[in-house]
């Protein structure tokens, strides 16, 4: 009996392993995605100066906490191609939905960022210039663009990795903002 | 799929001319520097496919290396520095998984497997020799007996003086 | 027209494979000789048809036929010819054609060369092999057609990845595939034996040359890949524990176990069901590797372009093959019977321990590779398992393995005489301790484990030599008689000696280049002098060069030892404008003592303008890794050429062969 169980073990192990592999094939699963350690934590402490030669003020944790309503924080850079596509969507969210949008300009040369904003327009209320990328690490970002929803109490409630371009992505952001507003 | 493509684009964008750890990042103190190198081999670059931050040429990896060294200079322990990155990126950032219930199987599995293997082997050998003693197994054939003796004697003959 | 011929050939091959998967095996169970012998024709037909398809695809690459999507995506008219040819297997689809070609090649090999194999076993084996080719041919035709056309054809191809335009990398996949697809025939033999319900020493002897052939190529393929990573990637590292590397390493580890356990089956008619299990699992791991590389299920630096539909198909294929064969195993293995008895101290027990260690090491690698997936599935949390884990868990199984490798060949079958062995190994043990002591005295800064490992390498080396000397009675008899004995010794015995010596060399290389590696990373202006490992390296400046499809910045470095110039190193930073990428070409001064390894690049910060980023490494003993790997390959080949094993040679039915120690 023992021997029979022993001989059947390899087949059993193979079946279990196969189950995991099948689960792993789920097309919605992205093996490269990193879950955020920040969601449901307070905004990390940081203070960033404005982007040089722009009129937009800089961004800090204190500023984010003092707003008192849900707000969107978008991490962007002029060298990031998908950010360009996302820019129009963010502008529309600000102009049509009245979303309050803050920006973190990540590992960018200030002059490039200023040109970029000049060319495409500036939907951001405040922009912090994170030219060395340190604050990016505080936020645990794994690339640009990334967008966070902060509720009225300064708690990070949602994170979106990648450009917000598809209608589904926009709906997710709106829903997250609405949920953040409902809580406060 | 889309997100995969996106991360690829991102990676290319974030790639600079740099190659792994850069000279201007190195610390003057050789002891601290060697700790820095050791730690940065345990931390995973968060935008790369499967690389530690020590050998990665991505911008984020460079920033992580710089932060790591600043913390070393500030006198933090290795554990404190690792905790700093884990707080921000979760356990994903560790190439050497921490010991916790979810990783018990990972860390102890191989040793347990080996122990079980030894056990099975031991039981098998003993069962077989007992079967021979009981006469339930085939006894040695005369040929085998002779061969056995031959080996035995050969060994004895070979023994160094 | 050519692509259509290729596609037609593949379709025909599928039809032939279906015939071969049914006729011979049915013939074997109903006793129809003609049906059984049809396998020979169909196996040859299959290999011809797949060769035609492979040739057709290669032609499309050689003439840069940009009406074929695969060529468009994986070639460019500016590529040097050799890399156009290598482009044939550079993509998922193309490499699958190569995969299948090797699969049917091994089938045809057994059909044509395995003259001494009983007709029933051969027929069943070839049918099983055909089941696998039905799986892969249909996979190719339904999900990954290499001959798909594109309209309108573009003017030129899109791929020119310069990193991959390297002869080492071009040759790496064929060797690797030859190895791990080669294990398919061993798998087929095992399944056929299970169907017959009989495994005996003769079976082990028929299978042995095929196992060896696969193992030799896999060894060579892995070594070549590691060598390529060493000189091309610019870090001076040779192993990264990446999931895709692990995918080829696991079948190698288990294949090594199989090679050893099959010896026991061959010589002692025991370990039968274990050998069968290893044969099944080794090929299963090859299949798993194929799945990992092509499904994108894990993050890796070198995976193919990913498509979930393909993943599902391969997983289905995997499921049927692996679960099917293991279920058959669970059902039939009890009928194989257990073999002879042996003592806990005997060659059988030694080889069993070898197998246990290798199998556990394989499980460790498998576990570490897939564990992030398990954790994600169960807890939805993401973790990483990287080199620090593998080094910490893998090495503790390898060191004992290397230690017993020194003793193993001294053990006699059934019951070994431990005091007698100690008598003969006393001196060897002393030498190993002595070597470790000297290393410890000379190298005060390395980790203790490195010193211990060097001692272990010395132990295996001297013990293996001692065993060989005892066999030919070197020093006991006059030299001429010893040499005659050496000539009369079976080649397989020399093969084992050479391979085990190779392992000692491998350990030496691993330890040297890891524990005592030196590194200088600096910004340098022309005229800068760097001292490393007793060398003086003078940076003379950078020249701009123009290559066929790149622009390079070539650094000039003079290397001095004791004030005398010994060599000039020219590392390059190449920029490929068409591909839009750059590569680092390292410059290496190779000696048996160690490699001086230099790379150059532009500094990332603007503060260091006018300067160059130099990385100078000294890797002691690193070449012994490749020397060791070469000795493994040569040892395996020597063993393969043994008259007693030569494919098709009549097997000598002498009792004395059972007395010969395992090789």
């Amino acid at each position: 009996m023992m021997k029979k169980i022993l001989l059947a073990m390899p087949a059993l192990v193979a079946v279990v392993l196969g189950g995991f592999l099948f689960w792993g094939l789920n097309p919605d699963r992205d093996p490269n995605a990193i879950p955020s350690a920040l969601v449901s934590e307070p905004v990390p402490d940081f203070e960033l100066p404005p982007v040089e030669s722009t009129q937009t003020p800089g961004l800090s944790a204190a500023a984010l906490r003092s707003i008192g309503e849900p707000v969107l924080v978008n991490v962007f850079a002029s060298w990031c191609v998908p950010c360009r596509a996302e820019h129009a969507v963010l502008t529309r969210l600000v102009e049509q939905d009245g979303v309050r949008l803050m920006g973190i300009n990540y590992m960018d040369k200030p002059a490039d960022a200023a040109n970029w904003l000049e060319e495409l327009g500036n939907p951001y209320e405040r922009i912090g210039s994170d030219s060395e990328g340190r604050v990016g690490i505080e936020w645990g970002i794994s690339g640009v663009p990334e967008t966070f929803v902060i509720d009225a109490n300064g708690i990070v409630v949602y994170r979106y990795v990648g450009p917000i371009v598809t209608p589904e992505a926009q709906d997710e952001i709106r829903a997250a903002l609405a949920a953040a507003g409902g809580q406060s | 799929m889309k997100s995969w493509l996106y991360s690829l684009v991102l990676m290319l964008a974030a790639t600079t001319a740099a190659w792994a750890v850069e000279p201007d990042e190195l610390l003057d103190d050789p002891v601290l520097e060697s700790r820095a190198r050791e730690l940065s081999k345990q931390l995973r670059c968060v935008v790369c496919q499967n690389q530690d931050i020590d050998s990665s040429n991505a911008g984020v990896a460079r920033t992580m290396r710089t932060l790591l060294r600043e913390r070393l200079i500030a006198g933090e322990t290795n554990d404190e520095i690792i905790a700093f990155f884990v707080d921000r990126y979760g356990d994903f950032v560790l190439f050497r998984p921490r010991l916790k219930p979810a990783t018990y199987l990972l860390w102890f599995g191989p040793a347990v497997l080996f122990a079980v293997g030894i056990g099975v082997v031991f039981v098998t050998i003993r069962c077989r020799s007992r079967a021979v003693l009981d006469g339930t197994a085939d006894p040695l054939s005369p040929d085998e007996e002779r061969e056995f003796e031959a080996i035995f004697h050969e060994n004895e003959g070979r023994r160094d003086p | 027209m050519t692509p259509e011929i290729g596609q037609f050939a593949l379709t025909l091959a599928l039809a032939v494979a279906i015939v071969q998967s049914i006729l011979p095996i049915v013939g074997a169970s109903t006793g129809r000789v003609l049906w059984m012998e049809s396998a020979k024709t169909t196996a040859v037909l299959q290999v011809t048809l797949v060769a035609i398809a492979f040739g057709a695809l290669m032609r499309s690459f050689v003439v840069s036929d940009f009406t074929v999507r695969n060529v468009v995506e994986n070639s460019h008219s500016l590529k040097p010819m050799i890399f156009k040819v290598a482009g044939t297997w550079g993509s998922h689809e193309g490499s699958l054609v190569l995969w299948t070609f090797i699969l049917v090649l091994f089938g045809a090999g057994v059909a044509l060369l395995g003259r001494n194999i009983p007709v029933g076993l051969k027929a069943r084996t070839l049918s099983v092999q055909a089941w696998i080719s039905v799986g892969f041919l249909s996979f190719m035709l339904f999900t990954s057609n290499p001959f798909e056309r594109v309209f309108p054809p573009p003017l030129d191809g899109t791929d020119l990845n310069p990193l991959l335009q390297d002869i080492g990398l071009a040759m790496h996949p064929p060797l690797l595939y030859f190895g791990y697809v080669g294990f398919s025939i061993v798998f087929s033999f095992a399944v056929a034996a299970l169907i017959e319900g009989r495994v005996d020493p003769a079976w082990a002897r028929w299978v042995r040359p095929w196992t060896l052939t696969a193992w030799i190529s896999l060894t060579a393929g892995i070594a070549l890949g590691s060598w390529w990573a060493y000189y091309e990637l610019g870090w001076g590292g040779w192993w990264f524990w990446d999931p895709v590397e692990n995918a080829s390493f696991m079948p190698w580890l288990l294949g090594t176990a199989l090679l050893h356990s099959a010896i026991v089956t061959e010589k002692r008619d025991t370990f039968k069901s274990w050998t069968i299990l290893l044969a099944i699992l080794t090929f299963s791991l090859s299949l798993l590797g194929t799945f990992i590389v092509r499904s994108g299920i894990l993050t890796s630096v070198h995976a193919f372009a990913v498509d979930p539909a393909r993943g599902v198909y391969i997983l289905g294929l995997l499921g049927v093959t692996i679960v099917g064969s293991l279920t058959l195993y669970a059902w039939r293995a009890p009928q194989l019977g257990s073999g002879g008895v042996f003592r806990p101290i005997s060659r059988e027990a030694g080889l069993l321990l070898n197998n246990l260690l290798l199998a556990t090491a394989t499980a460790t690698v498998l576990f570490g590779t897939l564990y992030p997936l398990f954790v994600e599935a169960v807890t939805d949390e993401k973790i990483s398992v990287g080199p620090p884990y593998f080094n910490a868990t893998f090495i503790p199984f390898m060191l004992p393995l290397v230690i017993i490798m020194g003793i193993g060949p001294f053990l006699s079958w059934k019951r070994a005489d431990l005091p007698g062995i100690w008598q003969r190994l006393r001196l060897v043990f002393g030498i190993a301790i002595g070597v470790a002591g000297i290393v410890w005295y000379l190298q005060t800064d390395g980790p203790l484990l490195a010193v211990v490992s060097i001692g272990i390498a010395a132990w295996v080396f001297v013990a293996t030599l001692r065993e060989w000397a005892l066999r030919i009675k070197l020093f006991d008899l006059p030299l001429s008689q010893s040499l005659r004995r050496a000539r009369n010794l079976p080649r397989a015995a020399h093969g084992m000696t050479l391979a085990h010596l190779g392992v000692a060399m491998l350990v030496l290389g691993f330890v040297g280049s890891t524990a005592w590696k030196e590194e200088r990373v600096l910004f340098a202006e022309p005229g800068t002098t760097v001292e490393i490992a007793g060398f003086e390296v003078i940076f003379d400046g950078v020249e701009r060069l123009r290559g066929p499809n790149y622009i390079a910045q070539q650094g000039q470095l003079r290397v001095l030892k004791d004030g005398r110039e010994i060599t000039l190193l020219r590392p390059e930073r190449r920029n490929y404008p068409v591909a839009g990428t750059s590569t680092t070409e390292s410059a290496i001064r190779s000696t048996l003592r160690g490699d001086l390894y230099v790379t150059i690049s532009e500094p990332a910060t603007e503060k260091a303008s006018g300067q160059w980023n130099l990385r100078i490494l000294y890797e002691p003993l690193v070449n012994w890794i490749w020397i060791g790997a070469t000795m493994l390959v040569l040892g395996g080949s020597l063993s393969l050429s043994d008259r007693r094993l030569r494919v098709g040679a009549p097997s000598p039915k002498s009792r004395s062969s059972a007395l010969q120690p395992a090789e």
Side-chain angles (χ1 to χ4, degrees):
Chain A
M1 192 55 211
M2 264 307 282
K3 195 168 178 189
K4 278 210 174 123
I5 295 173
L6 209 63
L7 290 173
M9 277 307 279
L12 285 176
V13 171
V15 169
V16 172
L17 212 69
F20 277 109
L21 295 179
F22 185 73
W23 174 87
L25 280 176
N26 175 4
D28 293 334
R29 172 183 168 268
D30 177 6
N32 296 317
I34 313 168
S36 176
L38 206 61
V39 169
S40 71
E41 296 285 321
V43 165
D45 284 325
F46 72 99
E47 191 163 359
L48 286 174
V51 178
E52 271 171 46
S53 70
T54 61
Q55 302 306 312
T56 320
L59 188 66
S60 65
L64 276 177
R65 285 188 202 111
S66 67
I67 290 172
E69 61 175 306
V71 50
L72 218 53
V73 175
N74 173 249
V75 186
F76 71 100
S78 67
W79 47 261
C80 141
V81 185
C83 295
R84 206 167 259 273
E86 185 188 48
H87 185 272
V89 176
L90 290 175
T91 309
R92 208 167 46 239
L93 278 175
V94 171
E95 284 171 0
Q96 291 176 7
D97 298 36
V99 170
R100 300 189 65 173
L101 177 68
M102 310 290 151
I104 294 177
N105 183 227
Y106 180 71
M107 290 189 96
D108 211 349
K109 292 196 185 97
D112 292 350
N115 281 338
W116 196 78
L117 290 167
E118 180 94 351
E119 184 195 330
L120 297 174
N122 179 8
Y124 301 98
E125 211 171 290
R126 286 166 171 272
I127 302 178
S129 169
D130 183 23
S131 52
E132 286 184 60
R134 285 160 186 267
V135 172
I137 302 244
E138 293 291 339
W139 284 77
I141 68 159
S142 59
V144 269
E146 269 187 32
T147 307
F148 298 85
V149 174
I150 320 290
D151 75 2
N153 305 320
I155 308 287
V156 179
V157 290
Y158 181 79
R159 172 200 192 212
Y160 189 88
V161 178
I164 306 163
V165 278
T166 60
E168 295 83 22
Q170 296 179 36
D171 288 345
E172 276 185 52
I173 293 288
R174 284 199 192 94
L177 278 168
Q183 276 169 8
S184 60
Chain B
M1 264 327 281
K2 214 172 258 160
S3 59
W4 178 81
L5 261 178
Y6 147 77
S7 56
L8 192 75
V9 170
L10 191 76
M11 243 179 55
L12 293 176
T15 299
T16 61
W19 200 258
V21 61
E22 289 266 308
D24 56 335
E25 297 167 12
L26 301 185
L27 302 177
D28 292 332
D29 181 343
V31 178
L32 282 187
E33 178 56 28
S34 76
R35 269 175 67 198
R37 295 303 294 276
E38 191 199 319
L39 277 172
S40 51
K41 284 185 176 123
Q42 291 181 28
L43 292 169
R44 178 171 185 164
C45 161
V46 287
V47 300
C48 314
Q49 295 294 305
N50 198 5
Q51 270 185 347
D52 57 36
I53 59 170
D54 189 57
S55 62
S56 166
N57 50 4
V60 184
R62 182 170 159 90
T63 313
M64 284 170 78
R65 288 195 296 262
T66 312
L67 282 173
L68 185 153
R69 284 179 169 79
E70 281 171 8
R71 284 173 183 273
L72 274 173
I73 292 175
E76 288 192 11
T77 64
N78 290 5
D79 288 345
E80 282 168 344
I81 294 170
I82 295 236
F84 170 81
F85 287 105
V86 171
D87 283 348
R88 279 149 191 82
Y89 287 100
D91 278 5
F92 179 82
V93 80
L94 299 178
F95 259 143
R96 184 192 186 96
R98 283 189 297 185
L99 192 61
K100 56 180 187 178
T103 61
Y104 282 167
L105 202 59
L106 178 71
W107 283 108
F108 303 126
V112 169
L113 201 66
F114 184 70
V116 169
I118 289 278
V120 169
V121 166
F122 187 74
V123 169
T124 313
I125 293 182
R126 235 181 44 167
C127 283
R128 280 200 200 167
S129 25
R130 186 169 303 155
V132 171
L133 288 179
D134 295 348
T136 48
D138 294 338
L140 296 184
S141 67
D143 269 350
E144 280 179 320
E145 201 79 67
R146 225 173 297 130
E147 186 187 314
F148 191 94
E149 286 304 305
I151 294 166
F152 215 58
H153 283 292
E154 189 191 20
N155 280 347
E156 287 184 343
R158 262 206 217 160
R159 196 172 284 175
D160 291 353
Chain C
M1 193 53 205
T2 318
E4 278 69 32
I5 293 175
Q7 170 138 25
F8 186 61
L10 281 185
T11 319
L12 271 184
L14 176 61
V16 175
I18 292 174
V19 173
Q20 190 187 323
S21 61
I22 300 164
L23 269 193
I25 194 162
V26 173
S29 54
T30 55
R32 288 174 220 197
V33 178
L34 226 59
W35 287 29
M36 288 192 257
E37 292 195 330
S38 73
K40 191 166 174 175
T41 320
T42 49
V44 173
L45 212 53
Q46 267 196 76
V47 82
T48 317
L49 288 167
V50 179
I52 291 173
F54 191 53
L57 186 63
M58 194 178 282
R59 183 179 179 274
S60 298
F61 270 89
V62 167
V63 302
S64 292
D65 178 357
F66 293 124
T67 62
V68 178
R69 180 183 301 279
N70 194 15
V71 180
V72 175
E73 284 170 3
N74 300 290
S75 194
H76 191 281
S77 57
L78 283 182
K79 260 191 187 178
M81 180 51 72
I82 179 146
F83 299 119
K84 282 186 186 167
V85 174
T88 315
W89 55 79
S91 66
H92 159 75
E93 291 85 358
S95 64
L96 212 54
V97 182
L98 180 65
W99 213 104
T100 315
F101 178 60
I102 292 168
L103 186 74
V104 293
L105 196 64
F106 271 88
V110 167
L112 292 177
L113 301 173
R115 284 190 208 96
N116 54 353
I117 303 171
V119 69
L121 178 68
K122 190 150 96 176
R124 289 191 171 100
T125 304
L126 289 173
S127 272
V128 177
Q129 186 80 354
W131 298 348
I132 309 171
S133 48
V134 168
F136 276 86
L137 284 165
S138 60
F139 174 51
M140 199 151 47
L141 287 168
F142 297 140
T143 74
S144 326
N145 186 353
F147 297 108
E148 201 177 279
R149 296 277 198 171
V150 60
F151 189 83
L155 286 176
D156 214 327
T158 53
D159 182 69
L160 251 180
N161 188 348
L163 201 60
L164 306 181
Q165 285 183 36
D166 180 275
I167 190 68
L169 200 67
M171 291 319 299
H172 167 66
L175 272 175
L176 206 62
Y177 284 18
F178 202 81
Y180 71 62
V181 181
F183 283 117
S184 63
I185 197 74
V186 185
F187 169 88
S188 298
F189 268 115
V191 172
L194 282 176
I195 295 172
E196 289 195 338
R198 205 181 50 159
V199 173
D200 51 23
W203 180 90
R205 178 159 289 197
W206 294 318
V207 176
R208 182 116 188 268
W210 304 101
T211 315
L212 258 176
T213 309
W215 182 86
I216 292 166
S217 334
L218 191 56
T219 310
I222 293 174
L224 198 62
S226 147
W227 182 57
W228 172 82
Y230 172 72
Y231 72 76
E232 181 70 25
L233 293 183
W235 296 302
W238 32 259
W239 193 257
F240 302 96
W241 294 109
D242 183 82
V244 169
E245 290 176 344
N246 294 349
S248 64
F249 190 46
M250 289 186 283
W252 185 86
L253 282 170
L254 219 55
T256 309
L258 171 64
L259 213 51
H260 289 86
S261 97
I263 292 170
V264 187
T265 306
E266 187 182 331
K267 306 280 181 193
R268 299 292 321 145
D269 196 18
T270 184
F271 288 12
K272 286 190 270 195
S273 59
W274 174 242
T275 302
I276 293 284
L277 182 63
L278 282 178
I280 292 175
L281 290 181
T282 303
F283 183 60
S284 300
L285 287 173
S286 301
L287 286 175
L288 180 70
T290 304
F291 172 77
I292 288 177
V293 177
R294 290 158 207 270
S295 66
I297 198 165
L298 299 168
T299 325
S300 156
V301 274
H302 25 203
F304 283 112
V306 166
D307 177 351
R310 287 176 189 162
V312 172
Y313 200 109
I314 310 187
L315 189 62
L317 216 60
L318 236 77
V320 173
T321 319
I322 300 176
V323 177
S325 55
L326 288 176
T327 310
L328 182 68
Y329 173 80
W331 175 43
R332 302 284 281 194
Q335 292 166 36
L336 297 178
S338 51
V341 291
F342 54 90
R343 287 308 189 97
I345 304 289
S346 63
R347 179 169 286 183
E348 286 96 325
L351 286 168
L352 200 54
L353 188 57
N354 148 311
N355 270 232
L356 199 56
L357 286 164
L358 280 169
T360 320
T362 313
T364 306
V365 178
L366 181 69
F367 230 54
T369 309
L370 293 178
Y371 206 78
L373 189 73
F374 301 158
V375 172
E376 198 190 331
V378 176
T379 68
D380 204 29
E381 192 192 350
K382 287 226 174 185
I383 66 160
S384 304
V385 177
Y389 168 81
F390 289 108
N391 290 335
T393 50
F394 184 75
I395 294 172
F397 289 114
M398 281 302 111
L399 288 182
L401 181 71
V402 180
I403 294 173
I404 62 162
M405 183 189 287
I407 309 170
F410 287 90
L411 297 169
S412 44
W413 294 112
K414 285 186 168 183
R415 169 192 283 171
D417 157 39
L418 213 50
I421 290 165
W422 169 243
Q423 286 276 333
R424 280 177 273 156
L425 281 174
R426 238 177 359 193
L427 184 64
V428 177
F429 186 71
I431 292 174
I433 296 285
V435 169
I438 291 168
V439 172
W440 181 69
Y441 178 77
L442 293 176
Q443 295 284 348
T444 42
D445 53 346
L448 186 66
L449 185 66
V451 175
V452 174
S453 306
I454 294 286
I456 292 175
W459 157 257
V460 179
F461 189 81
V462 185
T464 306
L465 278 183
R466 172 101 172 106
E467 195 268 340
W468 186 76
L470 278 174
R471 277 204 208 190
I472 63 166
K473 297 214 174 4
L474 194 66
F475 311 125
D476 292 343
L477 292 176
L479 192 63
S480 60
Q481 280 192 46
S482 282
L483 286 179
R484 211 187 56 226
R485 286 182 75 100
R487 256 202 309 283
N488 289 337
L489 210 58
R491 287 203 192 160
H494 292 302
M496 179 209 76
T497 304
L498 196 57
H500 283 190
L501 291 177
V503 172
M505 302 291 101
L506 277 174
V507 174
L508 190 68
F510 293 159
V511 174
S513 63
T514 323
W516 298 299
K517 183 174 179 163
E518 285 184 51
E519 185 181 39
R520 303 275 183 279
V521 185
L522 70 154
F523 288 136
E525 298 167 326
T528 309
T529 302
V530 184
E531 286 200 21
I532 182 167
F535 295 99
E536 228 177 299
V537 182
I538 303 170
F539 178 50
D540 282 338
V542 169
E543 256 176 40
R544 285 175 70 87
L545 296 177
R546 186 170 275 279
N549 54 354
Y550 61 85
I551 303 159
Q553 282 155 330
Q554 190 188 57
Q556 318 274 333
L557 295 105
R558 269 182 296 141
V559 180
L560 281 68
K561 177 120 195 176
D562 304 323
R564 262 183 344 114
E565 186 173 324
I566 49 171
T567 189
L568 195 64
L569 290 176
R570 303 170 190 272
E572 288 178 15
R573 178 78 180 169
R574 286 186 190 165
N575 191 6
Y576 293 78
V578 182
T581 44
S582 17
T583 63
T584 299
E585 301 290 317
S586 54
I588 307 174
R589 176 186 182 266
S590 268
T591 64
L592 292 181
R593 278 188 65 178
D595 276 11
L596 195 62
Y597 185 115
V598 186
T599 57
I600 191 166
S601 63
E602 287 143 14
T605 73
E606 281 143 20
K607 285 175 216 146
S609 65
Q611 293 183 314
W612 293 90
N613 185 354
L614 286 186
R615 174 178 298 263
I616 307 178
L617 304 174
Y618 185 69
E619 302 230 14
L621 308 175
V622 68
N623 284 309
W624 292 99
I625 296 176
W626 294 291
I627 293 172
T630 310
M631 286 165 76
L632 284 184
V633 170
L634 289 178
S637 310
L638 203 58
S639 191
L640 188 62
S641 73
D642 194 311
R643 190 181 49 79
R644 296 172 305 161
L645 289 171
R646 204 166 300 154
V647 192
S651 58
K653 252 187 83 71
S654 67
R655 295 273 327 148
S656 67
S657 67
L659 273 175
Q660 264 149 7
E663 319 40 69

